[in-house]
Amino acid sequence: MLKEVLLGVLTGAVALTIGILLGHFAIDKGSSVPDWVRDASRDVDESIIEKFLAELDTNQLRENLRELTKVPHMATTPGDEATVDFMLKRWQDPNTGLDSAWRENYKVYLSFPNKTSPNKVSVGKTGYLFTAREREKVYKPDQEDPEVVQPYAAYSPAGNVKGKLVYANQGKMSDYELLNRTLDLTGTIAITRYGGEGRSKKYTSFIALNAINAAKFGIVGVLVYTEPYDMNDGLVSESETYPHSWYLPPSGVERGSYNIDFGDLLTPYLAAKDDTYRIPKEDITGIPPIPAQPIGFEDAERLICELDGDDAPNEWQGSLNCTYKLGGPGFKSTSTFNNSNVHLDIYNTERLEYSANVMGIIRGSVEPDRYVIYGNHRDSWVHGAIDPSSGTAVMLEITRVLGKMVKEGKWRPRRSIIFGSWGAEEFGLIGSAEYTEEYFSKLSERTVAYINVDISVFANATLRASASPAAQSVIFTASKQVKAPGTTTTVYENWKQYSNRTSPNYGIIPNVGFLTGAGSDYAAFMHYLGITSMDISYFYDRLVNIKNTYSIPLQSKTRARIYPAYHTAYDTFDYASTYIDPGFTSHQAVARTAGNVLVRLADSLLLPFNCSDYAESLDQYLGQAVTAFEEKLAAKGISMEPLKKAVQLFRDTAAKLDRLIRDSDLAKETPLKVRQMNDQLMLLDRAFLDPLAFPEQYGFRHVIWASRSSSVPTFPGLADAVEKAESTGLKEDWDQAHKHISIVTQAIAGAAHTLDDVI
Amino acid sequence: MLKEVLLGVLTGAVALTIGILLGHFAIDKGSSVPDWVRDASRDVDESIIEKFLAELDTNQLRENLRELTKVPHMATTPGDEATVDFMLKRWQDPNTGLDSAWRENYKVYLSFPNKTSPNKVSVGKTGYLFTAREREKVYKPDQEDPEVVQPYAAYSPAGNVKGKLVYANQGKMSDYELLNRTLDLTGTIAITRYGGEGRSKKYTSFIALNAINAAKFGIVGVLVYTEPYDMNDGLVSESETYPHSWYLPPSGVERGSYNIDFGDLLTPYLAAKDDTYRIPKEDITGIPPIPAQPIGFEDAERLICELDGDDAPNEWQGSLNCTYKLGGPGFKSTSTFNNSNVHLDIYNTERLEYSANVMGIIRGSVEPDRYVIYGNHRDSWVHGAIDPSSGTAVMLEITRVLGKMVKEGKWRPRRSIIFGSWGAEEFGLIGSAEYTEEYFSKLSERTVAYINVDISVFANATLRASASPAAQSVIFTASKQVKAPGTTTTVYENWKQYSNRTSPNYGIIPNVGFLTGAGSDYAAFMHYLGITSMDISYFYDRLVNIKNTYSIPLQSKTRARIYPAYHTAYDTFDYASTYIDPGFTSHQAVARTAGNVLVRLADSLLLPFNCSDYAESLDQYLGQAVTAFEEKLAAKGISMEPLKKAVQLFRDTAAKLDRLIRDSDLAKETPLKVRQMNDQLMLLDRAFLDPLAFPEQYGFRHVIWASRSSSVPTFPGLADAVEKAESTGLKEDWDQAHKHISIVTQAIAGAAHTLDDVI
């Protein structure tokens, strides 16, 4: 019996154990463990990222670019409509498309040349001593397309003006003042070169300012040309330029939008819908008051090299085949142009046109009400292979791979992703600005970040990124996981070699620029909405500043202020695939880096933003401000102590939040606690907004990164106010400097409060 | 063996079963069911609310009021400091206090009379034909306190002016225009009566406008008196007024801050810290340009009844013992004042003083980063028993009961609660405004609602509430759970009898007012931050508009524009406890209603806001706008269709969110889904902000509830713009009307987008 008892006990014990194990592990506790508990605490999946990066394909990128650049696609033209259809087709593809995609129209105020009455630049009473080219020279079939728009300055007013020519360098106030010391500028025409700094859109807004400046001196018209010294590393002959190299041919003309503000000019702060109130055209500010027209350097040479007068200063000289003179005003007596006027006959017309954004989304699984936005504009000036289609090709390749993973059920991001293909960017970031106006509240409340990839590849040397400091760390993380094309190292390491700085926190790291201007569609997101934004591309090596000779096939070391075919009829698929990125490996590197950033922002349990990196940037700005201004302000009885204290408070609260994050086991935390920290990180940039800080500047509300005229790289309101006060010496202007200290102090302290313990 | 096998099998089976049961039920799955899952889905506990309501005690309320009103406590005086200490002591009490409490100082610009050189109003060259009282008559020891401030008009400039007297009714533009038809007003002094409508602070801002208007006609000084017809139901004799009834004695003078804007006048949009930039004093707008002084009706009678000239219009007449005349200008030839000037000798001085807010918090358990703010000001003009201490007494009783529950570990709210005892409200809502400026970002991001209880009991008839429409439903819910004092019904039912409207959604319901002005500290929260706000009190029966006789002890039916001792030396504990709320049962009813709202906002799983109620209000405003303006606008080619569509969209998306909420089993939902809906509800009012819509008006950013001059109860920007355009007939003014349609359309559509599916 003992044996039987033992057997029974043993059997029982074994069975009991099995039962306990079964009961504990095999039977689900039903509704007591909700499914969402695991989902809510899931972090980014590195294997998904690896797969995603591996799928991004150079051939796809090449074919995207080929398709996008078949015809010129200036905003609202038939070519633009074709790209709208193409984007929609791709984003609505059942196998590789997004959850949904649609178009959104705005009725926007655009400026075009007149097809039947082209703009004319000429010399002589009847205009036939010389006439500038109306079209760029044809080297490839692309330039023959009838849809290639005549070079022009959008928003330059129509008008027929004439006058003696003067050469005014870059048309800065100081340039005109210098001329004005020796010449009577009244009634003259100024020829100027592209370059200089604009507050706003890309590289052309300065020229609106140029014409505004010029008009103050009585100048009646402005010509703008591309100086080969600035763009071609000095090369001027046809045999050395495209199609023989990446350099700009003598007839190439850089188009541009000559306006200072961004967004639709008739509907500031209002989305440009059909019935939206539009300001009277005469109330538009920031556009040229006098006619302006861009020309190529071939034509510029004819004009500049015939000028009379004193030699221009050394820094005004360039690579054209003569010594640049200031003008008599007018031409040399020995010239065939002697005594002749330059005539500008400008026939630009403004029209309201429907411009489309194409929008596409991938719905988030856990936090659908958090958005990561990725965008680029779609419109070009001509074929726009580099600007913007290199970026659009990248965006389409990213959406193809992510779309496929979603359609196959292999992945869905934690947060929602919104893709935007913006319209009418070239005219002044219009599509993106109108979008942010229409959906202001929704986007302000929910957007985690905006990633902008406009021109994705300027050149093949190195990554370039500008960003809110909060985003530095995720860009670093992403770039460390991508191989740099043509090297054996990572994008991150390669970048660090080309462009770096010494960080107090980290030592030597790649240099991430600040988004202080309005160079592309990030402007409305960063400056108007205060959304943590970034702009990513592949770029030149700008370490050298010497005339170089090795120009073919890859232009990495150059002085060119931008890739030379920029905004001309030579920015084509042929140009891009021959000279800019033949293997499309730089496109791929950008797709991988920006795409990796995108997925991390969308999938990370905790947003990969670092507020101590923000503190480091504020500290840097504070240091610059103290060095440049503290003594001057103290002399006027204005203290910088409150600003110093605010930055210190920010540094302390950022460190505190960092510690809280580090000490938290996020996967075990309540989702509401993680959300709380994520909200603190997401809304950090929002805390720097002050809609009344810069009343004169449309859309600039971020008191740290707003555009700045002063050359001191620090808080823009303060820098500009001190600069003005110093020049006028007026008490009321020093008062404004004091006011701007208070504004930025309150913004920084206010942001610090958001990083502190939540209550 | 069979038996043994069977026994073994049986033993095994039993043991297996026991094991399975043990394994399943007895052994916790450890970390697999986090504790927070239950907490995160917990809803408001009705039994807690019942206990809380039961604990709110009339004796405590009475003793709070007695303590708060021992001495006059005008902002920044020693009496005010004493209340700071008292609040801190209560909120830091170890048994009934809050989690923490502290004071926050601002250095603010205040205006005071000069103790050694009192303001003087007199008649005759040497000033001794007649001199107005410098102090109110003493009936009780309270009026003898040396700290009783001389009646004055804060922010009236100092100055010595004299002139012939005219009577100008309420000092409205139309009043002065009427006078100006027959009289030369240059160099005159105007005597006016309190009343009329101000854009801003309480009942006095109109008088800043009065003086601003007056100056336009060359008037050099303004007197303001309290008309017994408006305040005393016509009673004028000492035997019928306090201390014999609640009516204002003949010598009582209503003090006030004569400014239009709110917040510290030298630091608009900036918190008034030590080093904050201050605008030059001469740049302050919205304060009287000429001296002004309030007087009692006893003195006013002496002046008005001696006036020469034509009879004033019927509506200008009052209860003083004569027919009111317009003035010669000046007095009757038969008067002893004949030919004499009225002299105003005003010695007000402005000073920067530290004013304190006292802040206290109860930390939230589940969503500490969500704030419900409850506040009232602490400063009075004199003893301020009703204004503001009746509200402070209520706040202290609420914090006592909640604090006790927290300290005893019986309760902790889901969300954080912030209590604010604001300073310097009487001078222009200064403490609350500075607070919102300093913590702008943090409060904007996280605040669920603001509850204001300033004067808690005006009278004993009925609840009065003004609120964002989103909050209507929670006020109803709360008021249904409270018994109305002196009745057998609920506060809700009683309220519905006194003040109701017919809602398209609900039928007859109590009427909740709109928060369109800046009458108390809700202004900065509602208008500047866009936080769903409400203002709660007990009030008169205003259904009757006849002279009544039954004045003792409870003043429920009256024509008085406010309780008669308002802003005088008679607003004392004796007055409040004898005439306003002897049993403190109305205080209790307000404490219960507002406290119930507070706990529901803090504890409800889903925020008790209703967006369809908001839609109903927008619909109502739209209807008014269409009726009043559509034809006029159409005649100018301006369409209201976009606005109609926006309201329709709002209605549709609100209904959609309502359905989503109704169809969700919130307790089982992921906390992130509930948070998503809560964020939609919390941020709804925020979506109506436009910081550029009303550039002339400090702090008004909410495009639906901003203050309005037009009498049409609809969208304020539109109403005021149409009114102006009609009066000027200028195209540019009709353009502004169009612009305001676009502004409000975009705001409403933008808000609708936030209610829609989140992606």
Side-chain angles (χ1 to χ4, degrees):
Chain A
M1 274 303 284
L2 182 63
K3 203 178 81 179
E4 281 122 31
V5 170
L6 278 177
L7 182 69
V9 169
L10 189 65
T11 309
V14 170
L16 183 69
T17 305
I18 293 169
I20 289 173
L21 291 172
L22 275 175
H24 187 61
F25 292 107
I27 302 179
D28 188 60
K29 286 207 176 187
S31 62
S32 65
V33 190
D35 289 344
W36 49 259
V37 173
R38 200 187 53 243
D39 294 338
S41 61
R42 186 181 291 135
D43 206 347
V44 66
D45 181 341
E46 293 292 340
S47 70
I48 287 280
I49 292 203
E50 274 172 41
K51 273 177 221 153
F52 164 66
L53 297 183
E55 288 271 330
L56 295 164
D57 184 64
T58 53
N59 289 320
Q60 294 280 350
L61 286 159
R62 179 186 292 108
E63 294 317 306
N64 287 347
L65 191 68
R66 195 193 306 275
E67 182 66 33
L68 288 164
T69 56
K70 274 183 175 164
V71 293
H73 48 107
M74 183 166 64
T76 75
T77 64
D80 185 28
E81 278 301 306
T83 59
V84 168
D85 294 340
F86 175 60
M87 300 296 294
L88 280 173
K89 185 165 154 261
R90 289 288 299 269
W91 286 357
Q92 291 170 344
D93 185 284
N95 300 313
T96 60
L98 307 174
D99 286 334
S100 63
W102 63 94
R103 67 180 288 164
E104 298 199 13
N105 280 342
Y106 298 99
K107 194 175 179 182
V108 301
Y109 183 73
L110 303 181
S111 162
F112 300 100
N114 188 325
K115 275 190 184 174
T116 56
S117 191
N119 295 340
K120 194 169 287 185
V121 175
S122 55
V123 176
K125 203 177 246 169
T126 50
Y128 298 106
L129 284 177
F130 164 81
T131 303
R133 300 183 67 94
E134 280 175 15
R135 295 179 64 101
E136 289 144 309
K137 190 166 173 184
V138 174
Y139 296 109
K140 302 271 174 176
D142 279 332
Q143 287 88 47
E144 284 183 316
D145 193 306
E147 287 293 313
V148 173
V149 71
Q150 188 199 8
Y152 74 115
Y155 302 110
S156 155
N160 306 90
V161 294
K162 60 170 192 242
K164 297 281 183 282
L165 193 67
V166 294
Y167 169 58
N169 192 31
Q170 293 179 329
K172 299 191 292 284
M173 249 341 243
S174 58
D175 294 334
Y176 287 116
E177 280 161 1
L178 189 147
L179 274 184
N180 197 45
R181 271 180 234 154
T182 54
L183 297 177
D184 177 6
L185 297 175
T186 314
T188 60
I189 304 275
I191 183 165
T192 58
R193 67 208 253 184
Y194 272 111
E197 289 283 322
R199 268 189 186 276
S200 178
K201 163 106 188 15
K202 292 206 166 163
Y203 306 91
T204 50
S205 77
F206 87 96
I207 207 70
L209 206 55
N210 171 348
I212 291 167
N213 294 339
K216 291 179 188 158
F217 294 87
I219 293 166
V220 297
V222 170
L223 292 171
V224 197
Y225 79 100
T226 304
E227 166 58 49
Y229 182 86
D230 303 330
M231 194 65 120
N232 275 6
D233 291 316
L235 302 183
V236 295
S237 81
E238 263 194 289
S239 64
E240 294 174 304
T241 57
Y242 181 77
H244 308 293
S245 78
W246 81 323
Y247 288 120
L248 181 68
S251 71
V253 185
E254 187 175 331
R255 295 152 185 80
S257 183
Y258 285 31
N259 59 337
I260 291 178
D261 292 337
F262 62 90
D264 177 51
L265 293 175
L266 293 183
T267 59
Y269 301 109
L270 293 169
K273 317 292 274 189
D274 282 7
D275 290 318
T276 301
Y277 169 67
R278 287 172 165 79
I279 64 170
K281 285 164 198 174
E282 52 275 22
D283 288 0
I284 298 175
T285 54
I287 59 173
I290 53 176
Q293 175 70 16
I295 57 175
F297 66 79
E298 178 183 52
D299 287 333
E301 186 171 50
R302 284 298 311 279
L303 297 173
I304 288 177
C305 291
E306 302 292 324
L307 280 175
D308 201 5
D310 294 338
D311 286 2
N314 266 345
E315 323 78 75
W316 294 29
Q317 298 295 327
S319 303
L320 300 178
N321 196 21
C322 63
T323 299
Y324 297 15
K325 300 192 179 273
L326 300 177
F331 299 106
K332 293 183 287 208
S333 57
T334 55
S335 163
T336 51
F337 296 170
N338 174 32
N339 221 16
S340 295
N341 285 322
V342 170
H343 295 246
L344 261 68
D345 296 293
I346 305 300
Y347 301 100
N348 294 344
T349 55
E350 294 81 37
R351 291 198 299 273
L352 290 177
E353 296 281 355
Y354 287 103
S355 170
N357 291 336
V358 180
M359 306 304 303
I361 54 167
I362 300 177
R363 209 177 51 259
S365 56
V366 177
E367 296 182 274
D369 59 335
R370 287 296 176 261
Y371 309 151
V372 184
I373 308 182
Y374 180 112
N376 178 29
H377 67 104
R378 196 186 55 254
D379 66 304
S380 56
W381 280 117
V382 192
H383 297 81
I386 296 300
D387 180 11
S389 303
S390 65
T392 311
V394 165
M395 178 158 69
L396 281 172
E397 178 57 359
I398 289 173
T399 58
R400 181 189 69 84
V401 178
L402 295 181
K404 191 156 161 277
M405 296 198 302
V406 168
K407 298 288 183 189
E408 289 172 350
K410 290 180 178 161
W411 174 76
R412 179 165 291 285
R414 176 184 183 87
R415 304 181 180 87
S416 295
I417 300 177
I418 299 177
F419 292 97
S421 170
W422 316 120
E425 188 264 8
E426 293 294 0
F427 288 83
L429 321 179
I430 295 178
S432 56
E434 300 310 301
Y435 174 71
T436 58
E437 288 168 343
E438 181 165 13
Y439 299 100
F440 182 87
S441 293
K442 182 168 149 169
L443 296 175
S444 298
E445 293 169 8
R446 301 176 189 163
T447 308
V448 160
Y450 175 67
I451 303 167
N452 195 66
V453 180
D454 180 346
I455 297 172
S456 66
V457 182
F458 292 81
N460 294 305
T462 173
L463 193 77
R464 180 176 77 157
S466 300
S468 162
Q472 173 183 277
S473 60
V474 68
I475 299 172
F476 284 176
T477 305
S479 64
K480 283 174 184 171
Q481 293 185 314
V482 179
K483 197 184 141 296
T487 74
T488 56
T489 185
T490 63
V491 163
Y492 176 87
E493 289 296 333
N494 181 64
W495 181 15
K496 193 163 77 172
Q497 284 169 33
Y498 279 98
S499 171
N500 60 54
R501 69 181 179 96
T502 303
S503 147
N505 293 344
Y506 305 106
I508 297 174
I509 53 172
N511 186 45
V512 176
F514 296 143
L515 284 174
T516 56
S520 184
D521 291 302
Y522 56 77
F525 294 93
M526 184 81 240
H527 298 301
Y528 180 50
L529 291 178
I531 287 168
T532 301
S533 297
M534 62 208 89
D535 187 63
I536 295 174
S537 60
Y538 236 70
F539 211 60
Y540 326 99
D541 175 9
R542 278 288 180 76
L543 292 177
V544 289
N545 192 24
I546 48 160
K547 203 157 176 170
N548 79 63
T549 47
Y550 54 114
S551 52
I552 297 169
L554 295 181
Q555 329 310 325
S556 284
K557 286 183 183 284
T558 180
R559 198 174 54 221
R561 57 183 170 77
I562 191 165
Y563 69 97
Y566 176 72
H567 286 191
T568 73
Y570 306 111
D571 184 357
T572 59
F573 181 78
D574 178 67
Y575 179 86
S577 59
T578 308
Y579 295 112
I580 300 293
D581 190 21
F584 284 81
T585 51
S586 292
H587 282 76
Q588 186 185 44
V590 171
R592 285 175 169 167
T593 307
N596 192 347
V597 169
L598 173 65
V599 175
R600 288 181 179 280
L601 287 168
D603 274 358
S604 297
L605 178 57
L606 187 82
L607 288 174
F609 288 153
N610 187 311
C611 49
S612 288
D613 290 347
Y614 220 119
E616 189 181 301
S617 295
L618 293 180
D619 236 12
Q620 182 185 331
Y621 262 26
L622 176 66
Q624 298 273 9
V626 167
T627 305
F629 306 136
E630 188 168 36
E631 261 184 56
K632 294 168 186 169
L633 289 164
K636 301 290 171 184
I638 304 167
S639 167
M640 293 188 70
E641 289 306 315
L643 180 54
K644 290 183 196 171
K645 276 187 205 142
V647 172
Q648 179 67 46
L649 180 68
F650 188 97
R651 208 186 296 124
D652 294 346
T653 53
K656 200 162 160 187
L657 181 56
D658 276 351
R659 273 195 306 277
L660 177 69
I661 290 169
R662 206 179 47 231
D663 297 346
S664 301
D665 184 352
L666 294 172
K668 291 189 180 155
E669 267 298 349
T670 139
L672 291 173
K673 177 79 176 290
V674 181
R675 172 82 160 211
Q676 171 193 308
M677 295 189 285
N678 277 334
D679 281 356
Q680 288 179 287
L681 295 167
M682 172 178 86
L683 296 172
L684 176 55
D685 262 305
R686 232 78 96 239
F688 292 104
L689 294 182
D690 182 340
L692 304 178
F694 312 105
E696 305 292 303
Q697 291 179 59
Y698 168 84
F700 284 100
R701 297 182 166 191
H702 197 301
V703 301
I704 311 296
W705 310 123
S707 76
R708 151 176 59 78
S709 311
S710 163
S711 59
V712 183
T714 186
F715 310 112
L718 174 60
D720 287 356
V722 171
E723 201 139 286
K724 185 173 180 202
E726 282 197 281
S727 79
T728 67
L730 293 175
K731 171 159 188 333
E732 68 201 53
D733 287 328
W734 284 106
D735 275 359
Q736 288 303 303
H738 189 179
K739 182 178 167 184
H740 273 286
I741 287 185
S742 292
I743 286 173
V744 72
T745 298
Q746 181 158 305
I748 293 171
H753 296 317
T754 71
L755 299 179
D756 208 347
D757 298 340
V758 294
I759 189 79
Chain B
M1 275 305 283
L2 183 63
K3 204 179 81 182
E4 282 123 31
V5 170
L6 277 177
L7 182 69
V9 168
L10 190 64
T11 309
V14 170
L16 184 69
T17 306
I18 292 169
I20 289 173
L21 290 172
L22 275 176
H24 187 57
F25 291 108
I27 302 180
D28 188 58
K29 286 209 177 186
S31 62
S32 65
V33 189
D35 290 343
W36 49 258
V37 172
R38 200 188 53 243
D39 295 338
S41 62
R42 187 181 291 136
D43 206 347
V44 66
D45 181 341
E46 293 291 342
S47 71
I48 287 281
I49 292 203
E50 273 172 43
K51 273 178 222 152
F52 165 66
L53 297 183
E55 289 271 328
L56 295 164
D57 184 63
T58 53
N59 288 320
Q60 295 281 348
L61 286 159
R62 179 186 293 108
E63 294 317 305
N64 287 346
L65 190 67
R66 195 192 305 275
E67 181 67 32
L68 287 163
T69 56
K70 276 182 174 164
V71 294
H73 48 107
M74 183 167 63
T76 76
T77 63
D80 186 27
E81 278 301 305
T83 59
V84 169
D85 294 340
F86 177 59
M87 301 294 296
L88 280 173
K89 186 165 153 259
R90 289 289 300 269
W91 286 356
Q92 291 171 345
D93 185 284
N95 300 313
T96 58
L98 307 174
D99 286 334
S100 62
W102 63 94
R103 67 180 287 165
E104 298 200 12
N105 280 343
Y106 298 99
K107 194 175 178 181
V108 303
Y109 183 73
L110 304 182
S111 162
F112 300 100
N114 189 326
K115 276 191 185 174
T116 56
S117 193
N119 295 340
K120 194 170 285 183
V121 175
S122 55
V123 176
K125 201 178 249 170
T126 51
Y128 299 104
L129 283 177
F130 164 81
T131 303
R133 301 182 66 94
E134 281 175 15
R135 294 179 65 101
E136 290 144 309
K137 191 166 173 185
V138 175
Y139 296 108
K140 301 268 176 177
D142 279 333
Q143 286 89 48
E144 284 184 313
D145 194 308
E147 288 293 314
V148 173
V149 71
Q150 188 200 7
Y152 75 114
Y155 302 111
S156 155
N160 307 90
V161 296
K162 60 173 194 238
K164 298 279 183 285
L165 193 68
V166 295
Y167 170 58
N169 192 31
Q170 294 180 328
K172 299 191 294 283
M173 244 351 239
S174 57
D175 295 333
Y176 289 115
E177 279 160 0
L178 190 147
L179 274 185
N180 196 45
R181 271 181 234 154
T182 54
L183 298 177
D184 178 6
L185 298 175
T186 313
T188 60
I189 304 275
I191 183 164
T192 57
R193 66 208 251 184
Y194 274 110
E197 290 282 322
R199 267 188 188 275
S200 176
K201 163 105 190 10
K202 293 205 167 165
Y203 307 90
T204 51
S205 78
F206 87 94
I207 206 71
L209 206 56
N210 172 346
I212 292 167
N213 295 338
K216 291 180 186 156
F217 294 88
I219 293 167
V220 297
V222 171
L223 293 171
V224 197
Y225 80 100
T226 303
E227 166 57 49
Y229 182 86
D230 303 330
M231 194 65 119
N232 276 5
D233 291 318
L235 303 183
V236 295
S237 80
E238 263 194 288
S239 64
E240 294 174 304
T241 56
Y242 181 78
H244 308 291
S245 78
W246 81 323
Y247 289 120
L248 182 66
S251 72
V253 185
E254 186 175 332
R255 294 151 186 81
S257 183
Y258 284 32
N259 58 338
I260 291 177
D261 292 337
F262 62 90
D264 177 51
L265 293 174
L266 294 183
T267 59
Y269 301 110
L270 293 169
K273 317 291 274 189
D274 281 8
D275 291 319
T276 300
Y277 169 68
R278 288 172 165 78
I279 63 171
K281 285 163 197 173
E282 54 274 23
D283 289 1
I284 298 175
T285 54
I287 59 174
I290 53 176
Q293 174 71 15
I295 57 175
F297 65 79
E298 177 184 50
D299 287 331
E301 187 172 49
R302 283 299 310 279
L303 297 173
I304 289 178
C305 291
E306 302 293 324
L307 278 174
D308 201 6
D310 295 337
D311 287 0
N314 267 344
E315 322 79 73
W316 293 28
Q317 298 296 326
S319 303
L320 300 177
N321 196 21
C322 63
T323 299
Y324 298 13
K325 302 196 178 271
L326 300 178
F331 300 106
K332 293 183 286 208
S333 56
T334 55
S335 163
T336 52
F337 297 169
N338 172 32
N339 219 18
S340 296
N341 285 320
V342 169
H343 295 246
L344 261 68
D345 296 293
I346 305 298
Y347 300 100
N348 294 343
T349 56
E350 294 83 37
R351 290 198 300 273
L352 290 176
E353 296 281 354
Y354 288 103
S355 170
N357 292 336
V358 180
M359 308 302 303
I361 55 167
I362 300 177
R363 210 177 49 257
S365 56
V366 177
E367 296 182 273
D369 59 334
R370 288 295 177 262
Y371 309 150
V372 183
I373 307 182
Y374 181 111
N376 179 29
H377 66 104
R378 197 186 55 254
D379 67 304
S380 56
W381 279 117
V382 192
H383 298 81
I386 296 300
D387 180 10
S389 302
S390 66
T392 311
V394 165
M395 178 159 68
L396 282 173
E397 178 57 0
I398 289 173
T399 58
R400 181 188 69 84
V401 177
L402 295 181
K404 189 155 161 278
M405 296 199 301
V406 168
K407 298 288 183 188
E408 289 173 350
K410 290 181 178 160
W411 173 76
R412 179 165 291 285
R414 177 184 182 88
R415 303 182 181 87
S416 295
I417 300 178
I418 299 177
F419 292 96
S421 170
W422 315 121
E425 188 263 8
E426 292 296 358
F427 288 83
L429 320 179
I430 295 180
S432 56
E434 300 310 300
Y435 174 71
T436 59
E437 288 169 343
E438 180 165 13
Y439 299 100
F440 183 87
S441 293
K442 182 168 148 169
L443 296 175
S444 298
E445 293 169 7
R446 301 177 189 162
T447 309
V448 160
Y450 175 68
I451 304 168
N452 195 65
V453 180
D454 181 347
I455 296 172
S456 66
V457 181
F458 291 81
N460 294 305
T462 173
L463 193 77
R464 181 176 77 158
S466 300
S468 162
Q472 172 182 277
S473 60
V474 67
I475 299 171
F476 285 176
T477 305
S479 64
K480 284 175 184 169
Q481 293 186 315
V482 179
K483 194 184 144 292
T487 76
T488 55
T489 185
T490 63
V491 164
Y492 176 88
E493 288 299 332
N494 181 65
W495 180 16
K496 195 164 78 172
Q497 284 170 35
Y498 279 98
S499 171
N500 59 55
R501 67 181 180 96
T502 303
S503 148
N505 293 346
Y506 306 106
I508 297 174
I509 53 173
N511 187 46
V512 176
F514 296 143
L515 284 174
T516 55
S520 184
D521 291 302
Y522 56 77
F525 294 92
M526 184 80 238
H527 299 301
Y528 180 51
L529 291 178
I531 288 168
T532 301
S533 298
M534 62 208 87
D535 187 62
I536 295 175
S537 61
Y538 236 71
F539 210 63
Y540 325 99
D541 175 9
R542 278 287 180 75
L543 292 176
V544 290
N545 192 24
I546 48 158
K547 202 158 177 171
N548 78 64
T549 47
Y550 53 112
S551 50
I552 299 167
L554 296 181
Q555 330 309 326
S556 286
K557 287 184 183 285
T558 179
R559 198 173 55 219
R561 57 182 170 76
I562 190 164
Y563 70 97
Y566 176 72
H567 285 191
T568 72
Y570 306 109
D571 185 358
T572 59
F573 180 78
D574 178 69
Y575 179 87
S577 58
T578 308
Y579 295 113
I580 300 294
D581 191 22
F584 284 81
T585 50
S586 292
H587 281 76
Q588 186 185 43
V590 172
R592 284 176 170 166
T593 307
N596 193 347
V597 169
L598 173 65
V599 174
R600 288 181 179 280
L601 287 167
D603 274 358
S604 296
L605 179 57
L606 188 83
L607 287 174
F609 288 152
N610 187 309
C611 49
S612 288
D613 291 347
Y614 220 120
E616 190 182 298
S617 295
L618 294 180
D619 235 14
Q620 182 184 330
Y621 261 26
L622 177 66
Q624 298 273 9
V626 167
T627 305
F629 307 136
E630 188 168 35
E631 261 184 55
K632 294 168 187 169
L633 289 164
K636 301 291 171 184
I638 303 168
S639 167
M640 292 189 70
E641 289 307 314
L643 180 54
K644 290 183 197 171
K645 274 187 206 143
V647 173
Q648 180 67 47
L649 180 68
F650 189 97
R651 208 186 296 124
D652 294 346
T653 53
K656 199 162 161 186
L657 181 56
D658 277 351
R659 274 196 306 277
L660 177 68
I661 290 169
R662 206 178 48 232
D663 297 346
S664 301
D665 184 351
L666 294 173
K668 290 190 182 154
E669 268 297 350
T670 139
L672 292 173
K673 176 78 176 291
V674 181
R675 172 83 160 210
Q676 171 194 308
M677 295 189 287
N678 277 335
D679 281 355
Q680 288 178 288
L681 295 167
M682 172 178 85
L683 296 173
L684 177 53
D685 263 304
R686 234 76 96 238
F688 292 104
L689 294 182
D690 182 338
L692 304 179
F694 311 105
E696 305 292 304
Q697 289 179 62
Y698 168 84
F700 283 100
R701 297 182 165 190
H702 196 300
V703 302
I704 310 298
W705 310 122
S707 76
R708 148 177 61 77
S709 311
S710 163
S711 61
V712 183
T714 185
F715 310 112
L718 174 61
D720 287 356
V722 171
E723 200 139 286
K724 185 172 180 201
E726 282 197 281
S727 79
T728 68
L730 294 174
K731 173 164 187 329
E732 67 202 54
D733 288 328
W734 284 106
D735 275 359
Q736 287 304 303
H738 188 178
K739 181 177 167 186
H740 273 285
I741 288 185
S742 293
I743 285 174
V744 72
T745 298
Q746 181 158 306
I748 294 171
H753 296 318
T754 71
L755 298 179
D756 207 348
D757 298 339
V758 294
I759 190 79

